[in-house]
Amino acid sequence: MSGRAIPSDFVKSVLQNGAGRYVCQLQRLTFKFCKSSGGSRGTRDYIEKHLIDFSRENPGTAVYIQPRRHHTARVVAEFLNGNTVVKNINCLNPDDIMKWLEHLRTRSGIEIVRLRKSQHTDSPSIQGVWTPWTNKDSSMNISDYTDKKLLEMKRDELTATEKLLELAKNLREKDMKKTT
Amino acid sequence: MAHYRVQQWSTFARTWWLFDARWQCPWISARTIIPYLQGTKKPIYHPLSDTGDHVIVINTRLIAMKNERWITFKHIHDSRYRPKGVIEKRAWQIHAEEPTKIFEKAVYYSMDKNLLRRNLMARLHLFPDESVPEDLLKNVSDCIRQPMLAPKRLDEYTEEDRRNFPKLFDWPKDFVLDDGFRTKKQIEFQEP
């Protein structure tokens, strides 16, 4: 499949959730499983042992249990933004189901797609957008670019020849003072 | 909004840079110029967006190479025609024929080898001396500093400077500094 056919989007968050207080976006969980078949055994165990704890810890999430004869076990998660995610939990043990429920609980409900960029902002820069002339010395406006001083290498230290010449000059001055 | 459009124009405006190649190694200069051609110096750089700048290079005739590089370095072109398809040329030979060629090849070979290379090279304007067309020169809004320090030649010193240059001792008058001996090969390369 080509890159254009794969859905893609920018990074989003639901109404800046978590910037002030956090609202769990998972609203409803519906377990659908079979009472007799082996594939639903892990789900049955989970419901018996852990589901009450889960429900107590997350009072904002409604939990429904629907026995469905000879169906594969699955959990349907409904989010605040109206999205629905169906997760197949057939033939999974309670530990794995717990991990998948944690995944659904912490999700924002926004569809999982390829991200075009890892950062996004709704408000443009306050400083102003960068241009080639930001942080440039204003003297550049009137300077002549064919000037040799602008094109030459910038250096802090003197060259060895210049140091030598300076030394010789100092020595000569000293000698002159001695003779006078 | 209308002013966002104008902001975009100024952000993505191409700068024209001036670079003086006098007494510069073409390979080291290439390394300094390429970030400007690619636009990697800009904070808005992204590999998918076209953010490269123009660079005008003057004085390519006056580039410098170290050691025996003018003699030993050669460009090879192979046209895959077997009897005489391979053309080898020494650096001095190419430079005598086309004074911008060595610099151009140095930049071209130092760039990332991908499909963008030709387009980036199109934004490099090379001139053998200081005469640049007026319409190009008026675009220039900034300059790139040379990466190497240009040495001062002996004939640039005045007679007085030369006489006053600090010496530990004087050579005896009959001392021979250069006996003028050259091998056949040296003569061949030095006086083509």
Side-chain angles (χ1 to χ4, degrees):
Chain A
M1 204 156 44
S2 71
R4 267 178 207 200
I6 300 167
S8 60
D9 207 347
F10 295 94
V11 168
K12 277 180 193 168
S13 75
V14 181
L15 293 171
Q16 299 174 335
N17 193 8
R21 73 192 179 109
Y22 175 75
V23 177
C24 182
Q25 297 292 304
L26 180 63
Q27 290 299 293
R28 191 189 291 163
L29 273 177
T30 313
F31 286 85
K32 297 184 178 182
F33 65 102
C34 177
K35 282 184 179 178
S36 57
S37 71
S40 298
R41 190 184 158 183
T43 314
R44 273 182 262 129
D45 286 353
Y46 180 81
I47 288 165
E48 271 178 31
K49 289 172 189 164
H50 307 295
L51 189 60
I52 298 287
D53 293 340
F54 177 86
S55 186
R56 252 187 218 129
E57 279 168 19
N58 303 290
T61 311
V63 180
Y64 290 71
I65 296 173
Q66 294 178 346
R68 290 281 182 271
R69 205 173 289 145
H70 311 317
H71 278 234
T72 53
R74 59 199 184 280
V75 59
V76 182
E78 281 160 73
F79 292 93
L80 201 55
N81 64 353
N83 271 1
T84 308
V85 172
V86 181
K87 174 71 195 138
N88 188 340
I89 49 169
N90 207 32
C91 300
L92 291 186
N93 54 14
D95 288 347
D96 289 345
I97 293 170
M98 219 184 272
K99 278 176 192 169
W100 279 113
L101 285 188
E102 187 65 16
H103 164 76
L104 292 170
R105 189 181 68 78
T106 50
R107 263 189 69 173
S108 66
I110 297 166
E111 236 174 288
I112 296 173
V113 287
R114 179 173 67 87
L115 292 179
R116 288 174 164 235
K117 273 182 188 149
S118 55
Q119 78 279 343
H120 176 75
T121 179
D122 290 329
S123 54
S125 166
I126 296 166
Q127 296 175 349
V129 189
W130 178 88
T131 66
W133 300 279
T134 43
N135 307 326
K136 281 259 169 96
D137 195 356
S138 56
S139 69
M140 300 299 266
N141 290 324
I142 49 163
S143 51
D144 177 23
Y145 297 109
T146 49
D147 185 12
K148 214 179 171 188
K149 274 182 188 171
L150 282 173
L151 294 165
E152 257 179 9
M153 188 183 133
K154 219 177 193 176
R155 62 198 166 111
D156 307 324
E157 275 193 5
L158 295 174
T159 59
T161 314
E162 281 166 349
K163 276 180 192 172
L164 191 70
L165 285 170
E166 207 167 286
L167 259 174
K169 197 182 164 190
N170 289 341
L171 278 172
R172 264 173 206 151
E173 273 173 12
K174 262 187 191 174
D175 285 349
M176 287 287 279
K177 271 177 192 174
K178 267 181 195 173
T179 48
T180 52
Chain B
M1 262 166 73
H3 76 279
Y4 278 159
R5 183 188 53 174
V6 179
Q7 263 182 14
Q8 167 128 356
W9 288 345
S10 64
T11 303
F12 285 89
R14 289 193 204 284
T15 314
W16 286 65
W17 300 84
L18 191 71
F19 180 79
D20 189 5
R22 181 195 292 269
W23 285 97
Q24 301 300 305
C25 168
W27 305 95
I28 294 171
S29 322
R31 246 179 280 148
T32 59
I33 286 174
I34 285 167
Y36 292 92
L37 289 172
Q38 289 172 333
T40 45
K41 289 241 168 192
K42 298 179 179 184
I44 54 158
Y45 172 76
H46 190 267
L48 296 182
S49 51
D50 190 11
T51 55
D53 284 341
H54 288 265
V55 178
I56 295 174
V57 180
I58 55 172
N59 290 330
T60 54
R61 199 195 294 279
L62 304 176
I63 54 170
M65 287 199 206
K66 66 174 186 178
N67 300 348
E68 302 279 286
R69 202 57 67 83
W70 281 112
I71 301 167
T72 53
F73 188 82
K74 57 187 175 186
H75 277 296
I76 301 166
H77 175 72
D78 189 353
S79 70
R80 297 284 164 156
Y81 175 66
R82 258 316 139 222
K84 43 187 176 180
V86 184
I87 297 164
E88 283 182 9
K89 272 185 184 174
R90 304 280 166 176
W92 65 265
Q93 219 172 345
I94 300 166
H95 202 63
E97 289 168 6
E98 213 175 319
T100 57
K101 195 82 177 175
I102 298 265
F103 200 94
E104 190 194 340
K105 286 286 174 191
V107 177
Y108 187 75
Y109 292 145
S110 306
M111 247 177 215
D112 295 342
K113 276 78 181 169
N114 52 30
L115 292 174
L116 294 172
R117 192 153 60 144
R118 302 261 171 189
N119 291 344
L120 298 185
M121 283 304 289
R123 300 209 189 96
L124 180 69
H125 311 277
L126 299 161
F127 296 97
D129 41 30
E130 283 182 358
S131 61
V132 184
E134 198 59 37
D135 56 332
L136 290 190
L137 205 60
K138 77 181 177 193
N139 291 328
V140 172
S141 61
D142 213 334
C143 52
I144 305 170
R145 281 190 182 272
Q146 290 178 338
M148 296 162 80
L149 192 66
K152 203 175 172 184
R153 280 204 318 272
L154 188 62
D155 59 336
E156 285 169 7
Y157 286 94
T158 56
E159 189 64 42
E160 198 186 326
D161 286 340
R162 263 188 266 177
R163 214 183 312 120
N164 291 336
F165 202 86
K167 278 186 273 187
L168 291 179
F169 61 91
D170 285 320
W171 294 104
K173 276 189 177 173
D174 55 345
F175 187 83
V176 179
L177 279 169
D178 184 2
D179 62 352
F181 176 76
R182 302 280 186 278
T183 59
K184 251 189 185 177
K185 239 184 182 178
Q186 278 174 327
I187 295 164
E188 217 171 84
F189 279 127
Q190 280 175 355
E191 292 152 18

